[in-house]
PDB file of all heavy atoms in Angstrom:
ATOM      1  N   GLU A 139      82.061 102.153 158.621  1.00 98.00           N
ATOM      2  CA  GLU A 139      83.402 101.900 159.112  1.00 98.00           C
ATOM      3  C   GLU A 139      83.487 100.486 159.687  1.00 98.00           C
ATOM      4  O   GLU A 139      82.482  99.815 159.878  1.00 98.00           O
ATOM      5  CB  GLU A 139      83.769 102.916 160.198  1.00 98.00           C
ATOM      6  CG  GLU A 139      83.768 104.357 159.723  1.00 98.00           C
ATOM      7  CD  GLU A 139      83.954 105.326 160.874  1.00 98.00           C
ATOM      8  OE1 GLU A 139      82.939 105.699 161.506  1.00 98.00           O
ATOM      9  OE2 GLU A 139      85.110 105.693 161.170  1.00 98.00           O
ATOM     10  N   GLY A 140      84.699 100.053 159.975  1.00 98.00           N
ATOM     11  CA  GLY A 140      84.909  98.740 160.571  1.00 98.00           C
ATOM     12  C   GLY A 140      85.370  97.714 159.558  1.00 98.00           C
ATOM     13  O   GLY A 140      86.161  98.011 158.655  1.00 98.00           O
ATOM     14  N   CYS A 141      84.853  96.505 159.675  1.00 98.00           N
ATOM     15  CA  CYS A 141      85.305  95.386 158.835  1.00 98.00           C
ATOM     16  C   CYS A 141      84.527  95.331 157.527  1.00 98.00           C
ATOM     17  O   CYS A 141      83.874  94.320 157.206  1.00 98.00           O
ATOM     18  CB  CYS A 141      85.180  94.085 159.608  1.00 98.00           C
ATOM     19  SG  CYS A 141      86.131  94.066 161.142  1.00 98.00           S
ATOM     20  N   VAL A 142      84.569  96.416 156.789  1.00 98.00           N
ATOM     21  CA  VAL A 142      83.889  96.533 155.499  1.00 98.00           C
ATOM     22  C   VAL A 142      84.867  97.099 154.480  1.00 98.00           C
ATOM     23  O   VAL A 142      85.923  97.628 154.827  1.00 98.00           O
ATOM     24  CB  VAL A 142      82.641  97.443 155.589  1.00 98.00           C
ATOM     25  CG1 VAL A 142      81.610  96.854 156.536  1.00 98.00           C
ATOM     26  CG2 VAL A 142      83.040  98.849 156.051  1.00 98.00           C
ATOM     27  N   GLY A 143      84.508  96.996 153.208  1.00 98.00           N
ATOM     28  CA  GLY A 143      85.338  97.574 152.163  1.00 98.00           C
ATOM     29  C   GLY A 143      86.780  97.118 152.252  1.00 98.00           C
ATOM     30  O   GLY A 143      87.072  95.939 152.480  1.00 98.00           O
ATOM     31  N   ALA A 144      87.693  98.059 152.085  1.00 98.00           N
ATOM     32  CA  ALA A 144      89.117  97.732 152.141  1.00 98.00           C
ATOM     33  C   ALA A 144      89.550  97.240 153.505  1.00 98.00           C
ATOM     34  O   ALA A 144      90.625  96.650 153.650  1.00 98.00           O
ATOM     35  CB  ALA A 144      89.945  98.954 151.739  1.00 98.00           C
ATOM     36  N   GLY A 145      88.728  97.468 154.521  1.00 98.00           N
ATOM     37  CA  GLY A 145      89.065  97.028 155.870  1.00 98.00           C
ATOM     38  C   GLY A 145      88.556  95.647 156.222  1.00 98.00           C
ATOM     39  O   GLY A 145      88.758  95.182 157.352  1.00 98.00           O
ATOM     40  N   ALA A 146      87.922  94.951 155.280  1.00 98.00           N
ATOM     41  CA  ALA A 146      87.305  93.655 155.585  1.00 98.00           C
ATOM     42  C   ALA A 146      88.295  92.646 156.135  1.00 98.00           C
ATOM     43  O   ALA A 146      87.977  91.869 157.039  1.00 98.00           O
ATOM     44  CB  ALA A 146      86.634  93.092 154.327  1.00 98.00           C
ATOM     45  N   GLY A 147      89.515  92.639 155.603  1.00 97.00           N
ATOM     46  CA  GLY A 147      90.514  91.676 156.053  1.00 97.00           C
ATOM     47  C   GLY A 147      91.681  92.311 156.784  1.00 97.00           C
ATOM     48  O   GLY A 147      92.722  91.671 156.965  1.00 97.00           O
ATOM     49  N   ALA A 148      91.530  93.565 157.221  1.00 97.00           N
ATOM     50  CA  ALA A 148      92.634  94.281 157.859  1.00 97.00           C
ATOM     51  C   ALA A 148      92.920  93.744 159.258  1.00 97.00           C
ATOM     52  O   ALA A 148      92.010  93.462 160.038  1.00 97.00           O
ATOM     53  CB  ALA A 148      92.321  95.772 157.930  1.00 97.00           C
ATOM     54  N   THR A 149      94.198  93.623 159.580  1.00 97.00           N
ATOM     55  CA  THR A 149      94.648  93.173 160.898  1.00 97.00           C
ATOM     56  C   THR A 149      95.837  94.011 161.345  1.00 97.00           C
ATOM     57  O   THR A 149      96.499  94.655 160.523  1.00 97.00           O
ATOM     58  CB  THR A 149      95.052  91.680 160.876  1.00 97.00           C
ATOM     59  OG1 THR A 149      96.002  91.464 159.817  1.00 97.00           O
ATOM     60  CG2 THR A 149      93.841  90.785 160.640  1.00 97.00           C
ATOM     61  N   VAL A 150      96.122  93.985 162.652  1.00 97.00           N
ATOM     62  CA  VAL A 150      97.241  94.761 163.200  1.00 97.00           C
ATOM     63  C   VAL A 150      97.973  93.933 164.250  1.00 97.00           C
ATOM     64  O   VAL A 150      97.490  92.899 164.705  1.00 97.00           O
ATOM     65  CB  VAL A 150      96.759  96.090 163.828  1.00 97.00           C
ATOM     66  CG1 VAL A 150      96.150  96.994 162.768  1.00 97.00           C
ATOM     67  CG2 VAL A 150      95.753  95.830 164.960  1.00 97.00           C
ATOM     68  N   GLY A 151      99.156  94.399 164.636  1.00 96.00           N
ATOM     69  CA  GLY A 151      99.917  93.742 165.693  1.00 96.00           C
ATOM     70  C   GLY A 151     100.466  92.388 165.297  1.00 96.00           C
ATOM     71  O   GLY A 151     100.353  91.417 166.045  1.00 96.00           O
ATOM     72  N   LYS A 152     101.133  92.315 164.147  1.00 93.00           N
ATOM     73  CA  LYS A 152     101.531  91.012 163.602  1.00 93.00           C
ATOM     74  C   LYS A 152     103.017  90.691 163.740  1.00 93.00           C
ATOM     75  O   LYS A 152     103.540  89.812 163.061  1.00 93.00           O
ATOM     76  CB  LYS A 152     101.100  90.950 162.133  1.00 93.00           C
ATOM     77  CG  LYS A 152      99.589  90.888 161.967  1.00 93.00           C
ATOM     78  CD  LYS A 152      99.142  91.134 160.540  1.00 93.00           C
ATOM     79  CE  LYS A 152      99.100  92.606 160.224  1.00 93.00           C
ATOM     80  NZ  LYS A 152      98.506  92.899 158.909  1.00 93.00           N
ATOM     81  N   LEU A 153     103.691  91.383 164.642  1.00 92.00           N
ATOM     82  CA  LEU A 153     105.130  91.182 164.786  1.00 92.00           C
ATOM     83  C   LEU A 153     105.475  89.755 165.199  1.00 92.00           C
ATOM     84  O   LEU A 153     106.530  89.232 164.827  1.00 92.00           O
ATOM     85  CB  LEU A 153     105.703  92.165 165.815  1.00 92.00           C
ATOM     86  CG  LEU A 153     107.221  92.172 165.953  1.00 92.00           C
ATOM     87  CD1 LEU A 153     107.899  92.658 164.681  1.00 92.00           C
ATOM     88  CD2 LEU A 153     107.648  93.039 167.132  1.00 92.00           C
ATOM     89  N   MET A 154     104.584  89.103 165.946  1.00 90.00           N
ATOM     90  CA  MET A 154     104.822  87.726 166.388  1.00 90.00           C
ATOM     91  C   MET A 154     103.880  86.736 165.707  1.00 90.00           C
ATOM     92  O   MET A 154     103.658  85.628 166.202  1.00 90.00           O
ATOM     93  CB  MET A 154     104.667  87.635 167.912  1.00 90.00           C
ATOM     94  CG  MET A 154     105.653  88.510 168.670  1.00 90.00           C
ATOM     95  SD  MET A 154     107.387  88.186 168.238  1.00 90.00           S
ATOM     96  CE  MET A 154     107.575  86.541 168.900  1.00 90.00           C
ATOM     97  N   GLY A 155     103.327  87.140 164.570  1.00 90.00           N
ATOM     98  CA  GLY A 155     102.463  86.245 163.815  1.00 90.00           C
ATOM     99  C   GLY A 155     100.985  86.393 164.130  1.00 90.00           C
ATOM    100  O   GLY A 155     100.586  87.153 165.012  1.00 90.00           O
ATOM    101  N   ARG A 156     100.179  85.647 163.416  1.00 89.00           N
ATOM    102  CA  ARG A 156      98.723  85.733 163.511  1.00 89.00           C
ATOM    103  C   ARG A 156      98.196  85.433 164.917  1.00 89.00           C
ATOM    104  O   ARG A 156      97.214  86.035 165.368  1.00 89.00           O
ATOM    105  CB  ARG A 156      98.093  84.767 162.506  1.00 89.00           C
ATOM    106  CG  ARG A 156      96.576  84.705 162.568  1.00 89.00           C
ATOM    107  CD  ARG A 156      96.020  83.580 161.707  1.00 89.00           C
ATOM    108  NE  ARG A 156      94.606  83.394 161.942  1.00 89.00           N
ATOM    109  CZ  ARG A 156      93.639  84.014 161.259  1.00 89.00           C
ATOM    110  NH1 ARG A 156      93.954  84.841 160.296  1.00 89.00           N
ATOM    111  NH2 ARG A 156      92.369  83.791 161.532  1.00 89.00           N
ATOM    112  N   ASP A 157      98.832  84.510 165.639  1.00 91.00           N
ATOM    113  CA  ASP A 157      98.311  84.083 166.935  1.00 91.00           C
ATOM    114  C   ASP A 157      98.241  85.219 167.953  1.00 91.00           C
ATOM    115  O   ASP A 157      97.481  85.134 168.923  1.00 91.00           O
ATOM    116  CB  ASP A 157      99.166  82.944 167.502  1.00 91.00           C
ATOM    117  CG  ASP A 157      99.000  81.650 166.719  1.00 91.00           C
ATOM    118  OD1 ASP A 157      98.025  81.546 165.945  1.00 91.00           O
ATOM    119  OD2 ASP A 157      99.858  80.757 166.875  1.00 91.00           O
ATOM    120  N   CYS A 158      99.021  86.258 167.739  1.00 93.00           N
ATOM    121  CA  CYS A 158      99.035  87.389 168.679  1.00 93.00           C
ATOM    122  C   CYS A 158      98.465  88.661 168.059  1.00 93.00           C
ATOM    123  O   CYS A 158      98.551  89.741 168.660  1.00 93.00           O
ATOM    124  CB  CYS A 158     100.460  87.652 169.168  1.00 93.00           C
ATOM    125  SG  CYS A 158     101.180  86.283 170.102  1.00 93.00           S
ATOM    126  N   ALA A 159      97.885  88.565 166.867  1.00 96.00           N
ATOM    127  CA  ALA A 159      97.384  89.736 166.145  1.00 96.00           C
ATOM    128  C   ALA A 159      95.947  90.075 166.548  1.00 96.00           C
ATOM    129  O   ALA A 159      95.316  89.370 167.345  1.00 96.00           O
ATOM    130  CB  ALA A 159      97.466  89.491 164.642  1.00 96.00           C
ATOM    131  N   MET A 160      95.408  91.149 165.974  1.00 97.00           N
ATOM    132  CA  MET A 160      94.038  91.585 166.235  1.00 97.00           C
ATOM    133  C   MET A 160      93.383  92.054 164.949  1.00 97.00           C
ATOM    134  O   MET A 160      94.049  92.419 163.979  1.00 97.00           O
ATOM    135  CB  MET A 160      94.020  92.728 167.262  1.00 97.00           C
ATOM    136  CG  MET A 160      94.386  92.303 168.666  1.00 97.00           C
ATOM    137  SD  MET A 160      94.361  93.696 169.832  1.00 97.00           S
ATOM    138  CE  MET A 160      92.612  94.136 169.809  1.00 97.00           C
ATOM    139  N   LYS A 161      92.067  92.061 164.966  1.00 98.00           N
ATOM    140  CA  LYS A 161      91.300  92.541 163.815  1.00 98.00           C
ATOM    141  C   LYS A 161      91.217  94.062 163.832  1.00 98.00           C
ATOM    142  O   LYS A 161      91.014  94.679 164.881  1.00 98.00           O
ATOM    143  CB  LYS A 161      89.883  91.948 163.833  1.00 98.00           C
ATOM    144  CG  LYS A 161      89.102  92.192 162.558  1.00 98.00           C
ATOM    145  CD  LYS A 161      89.633  91.370 161.416  1.00 98.00           C
ATOM    146  CE  LYS A 161      88.885  91.679 160.109  1.00 98.00           C
ATOM    147  NZ  LYS A 161      89.199  93.013 159.573  1.00 98.00           N
ATOM    148  N   SER A 162      91.368  94.651 162.674  1.00 98.00           N
ATOM    149  CA  SER A 162      91.197  96.084 162.488  1.00 98.00           C
ATOM    150  C   SER A 162      90.192  96.288 161.351  1.00 98.00           C
ATOM    151  O   SER A 162      89.461  95.365 160.991  1.00 98.00           O
ATOM    152  CB  SER A 162      92.539  96.743 162.175  1.00 98.00           C
ATOM    153  OG  SER A 162      92.412  98.131 162.019  1.00 98.00           O
ATOM    154  N   GLY A 163      90.162  97.472 160.774  1.00 98.00           N
ATOM    155  CA  GLY A 163      89.201  97.733 159.710  1.00 98.00           C
ATOM    156  C   GLY A 163      89.503  99.029 158.994  1.00 98.00           C
ATOM    157  O   GLY A 163      90.659  99.434 158.878  1.00 98.00           O
ATOM    158  N   ILE A 164      88.453  99.690 158.543  1.00 98.00           N
ATOM    159  CA  ILE A 164      88.577 100.980 157.872  1.00 98.00           C
ATOM    160  C   ILE A 164      87.901 102.042 158.739  1.00 98.00           C
ATOM    161  O   ILE A 164      86.853 101.794 159.344  1.00 98.00           O
ATOM    162  CB  ILE A 164      87.957 100.936 156.453  1.00 98.00           C
ATOM    163  CG1 ILE A 164      88.339 102.185 155.656  1.00 98.00           C
ATOM    164  CG2 ILE A 164      86.447 100.730 156.495  1.00 98.00           C
ATOM    165  CD1 ILE A 164      88.012 102.071 154.167  1.00 98.00           C
TER     166      ILE A 164
END
Side-chain angles (χ1 to χ4, degrees):
E139 299 172 273
C141 301
V142 297
T149 53
V150 296
K152 291 167 279 187
L153 187 65
M154 299 305 293
R156 177 189 171 91
D157 290 344
C158 297
M160 290 180 65
K161 190 71 183 71
S162 181
I164 192 168

